[in-house]
Amino acid sequence: MTTTTTSTGKRWLKRIVIALVALLAFAAAALFIGDQLARHKMQRKVEVTVKGLPFRDDAASLERGRYLFASRGCVDCHGAKGGGAVFVDDGKGLRIAGPNISPGPGSVVAGYTSEDWVRSIRHGVNPKGHALMVMPSEDYNRLTDDDLASLVAYIRRMEPASGGAAVLDLPLPMRALYGFGMIHDAASKIDHTRPPEQPVPDGVNVTHGAYVANMCLGCHGAKLNGGKIPGGPPDWPAAANLTPGEGTAMTRYADADAFARMFKTGKRPDGTPVKVMPFGSLGAMSDIDVRALFLYLKTLPASPHG
């Protein structure tokens, strides 16, 4: 009896070891295949038809461009001077930095044509036709022609800053997820045939708020109902649900004043900090933009988180 039991136990142990080895081999193969798919995907050609916008140099465009650069996320990835900035570094192999887009040495936009600017900002595609991996163009795809031209005007007139190319160090599992299509670059999410937004007058109204809300799409999703941030580090919290309804983030803010204070302080009304949000930019948003955004968010249909 003891001999039989021992023999059976050994057979089960052997089967478990074989299963574990097979599982590890399968995981290794999946990572290898995913990595190869990711390399191929990064080098794919993204065909987009773009129409350049005339370069501008007037004072009004430069001032509008300065505001957009400061308030729409550009400083968080490219730095206040445009020379580039590290915005993700978890110390575990994930490190992402925006490139130098100033007119200075090492700039990645040196020699950009008007079409190149439109292709990169609005479509997330570089002049060679490859996807710009960390450019959140889904947030900028809906910029009006006036705003896009103003933003480009300001960047082209910035003081030269030193810096270099983008840094994109992704751990192997993250590259595999990208290769298998579980993480998407902006170029694969954008409707490249969508026409630019038409200008709307600035004002504390729902229409202007809807335009401002375009900057929230990359993290909070097309319905602004939040969820896991695409491509974000594993320890990042899920993006908040910005739609009305019980249990959503918007219930924290009784009025536009409370909402505006969060943009300036980075803290909720109860004093707890809001994580991940790019307050380097959000804090620079005008009172009109923030209050219009609050009005618009209140008009959204309630939607489950994520």
Side-chain angles (χ1 to χ4, degrees), residues 8 15 22 68 70 92 100 126 180 204:
T8 301
R15 289 172 183 172
L68 292 171
K92 303 174 184 177
N100 180 5
N126 70 19
F180 284 120
V204 182

Side-chain angles (χ1 to χ4, degrees), residues 239-306:
N241 185 349
L242 302 182
T243 68
E246 186 177 353
T248 72
M250 295 307 292
T251 60
R252 299 174 182 270
Y253 307 100
D255 51 35
D257 289 337
F259 190 67
R261 281 194 295 272
M262 180 268 289
F263 272 62
K264 295 299 183 185
T265 65
K267 295 181 179 180
R268 303 180 182 93
D270 63 4
T272 58
V274 180
K275 297 181 179 180
V276 178
M277 291 269 283
F279 287 107
S281 293
L282 299 182
M285 286 181 65
S286 71
D287 197 54
I288 289 176
D289 279 359
V290 174
R291 291 176 182 274
L293 175 60
F294 179 79
L295 278 183
Y296 172 67
L297 294 177
K298 288 293 189 179
T299 69
L300 293 175
S303 182
H305 190 213

